[in-house]
Amino acid sequence: MRRSLTSRAAQTLRVCVGIIAMLAVSVSAQRAPATGVRTLASVLQLHELLISPASDAVFNASTDPPADDKG
């Protein structure tokens, strides 16, 4: 006698298969960059060159009061 899956078991099985399929697609999409791609700077270098000076300007703006009404 053959047993059929209950609707809940079938739904669970479909969800598991879907998750496995999505993981397989995402893993296959993570390939090494093309050979023509060249790294110009690391994250640390970008942070030191761009992010730190910009954040310093924002945070220091409140410590320097304007000299006159135009400021």
Side-chain angles (χ1 to χ4, degrees), residues 39 41-53:
T39 303
S42 69
V43 173
L44 178 62
Q45 290 169 330
L46 289 173
H47 192 276
E48 290 174 349
L49 292 172
L50 299 171
I51 299 169
S52 290

Side-chain angles (χ1 to χ4, degrees), residues 2-44:
R2 191 171 193 190
R3 212 170 170 191
S4 64
L5 292 174
T6 63
S7 64
R8 184 164 175 87
Q11 182 181 9
T12 303
L13 181 63
R14 279 188 234 121
V15 168
C16 288
V17 169
I19 290 172
I20 291 170
M22 286 189 301
L23 288 173
V25 168
S26 68
V27 167
S28 67
Q30 295 177 357
R31 296 183 184 159
T35 57
V37 177
R38 185 172 47 110
T39 303
L40 299 177
S42 69
V43 173
L44 178 62

Side-chain angles (χ1 to χ4, degrees), residues 44-70:
L44 178 62
Q45 290 169 330
L46 289 173
H47 192 276
E48 290 174 349
L49 292 172
L50 299 171
I51 299 169
S52 290
S55 66
D56 289 343
V58 170
F59 293 129
N60 290 336
S62 64
T63 60
D64 299 328
D68 57 2
D69 288 338
K70 286 187 177 182

